[in-house]
Amino acid sequence: MSETIFTKIINKEIPADIVYEDDLCLAFKDINPQAPIHLLIIPKKPIATINDIAEEDRELVGHLFLTAAKIAKDLGIAEDGYRAVMNCNKNGGQEVYHIHLHLLAGQRLGWPPFAS
Ligand code: 5GP
């Protein structure tokens, strides 16, 4: 797949407000936050969309959710709650083609999210 802005963030070629990093993933603040807390949790392995997740990525994708839960606990937002969501392709509102979990928190979030 072609390189995205997130590869540059992983390689520290452009700055980001990184809140967590390990061998498999990186979490940083969204540049255009949609909630008081809005983080992006991305695998270091570039995978374009949910449709491109392979069988071999099973543990990696699980790791993204475990990382979201760990960060939420560390930030003290686990009990109040949060949303962890991944957009896919045009109708899902995906803009960056390197899968990422949005971790949104800090307020009561609206549902359903059908606004265009
Ligand atoms: P998507 O629409 O693909 O699900 O979400 C992409 C997200 O990446 C958006 O919320 C957008 O604000 C964020 N984003 C795009 N470019 C950058 C960047 O260079 N730095 C950071 N921190 N976030 C970005």
Side-chain angles (χ1 to χ4, degrees):
M1 65 175 255
S2 58
E3 196 172 277
T4 72
I5 194 96
F6 288 176
T7 299
K8 290 188 166 61
I9 289 175
I10 291 165
N11 293 334
K12 315 281 167 52
E13 291 165 10
I14 63 166
D17 201 339
I18 294 169
V19 299
Y20 177 85
E21 179 169 16
D22 63 26
D23 289 349
L24 296 174
C25 75
L26 189 69
F28 52 92
K29 293 183 181 175
D30 195 294
I31 206 168
N32 183 24
Q34 302 300 310
I37 295 171
H38 186 173
L39 305 177
L40 301 173
I41 303 165
I42 70 173
K44 289 187 173 174
K45 175 182 177 180
I47 301 169
T49 79
I50 296 173
N51 296 332
D52 301 298
I53 296 171
E55 198 58 44
E56 68 187 29
D57 301 321
R58 191 179 280 272
E59 279 196 33
L60 176 60
V61 174
H63 183 70
L64 299 181
F65 278 95
L66 288 170
T67 300
K70 175 184 165 31
I71 292 171
K73 191 174 174 208
D74 290 349
L75 292 178
I77 57 169
E79 289 306 314
D80 278 348
Y82 54 91
R83 184 167 297 155
V85 65
M86 192 178 283
N87 298 327
C88 183
N89 278 339
K90 175 169 53 78
N91 281 2
Q94 185 173 7
E95 290 174 357
V96 179
Y97 283 78
H98 179 134
I99 60 166
H100 46 281
L101 261 189
H102 293 262
L103 176 58
L104 298 143
Q107 67 176 56
R108 190 76 180 259
L109 300 165
W111 190 265
F114 292 157
S116 58

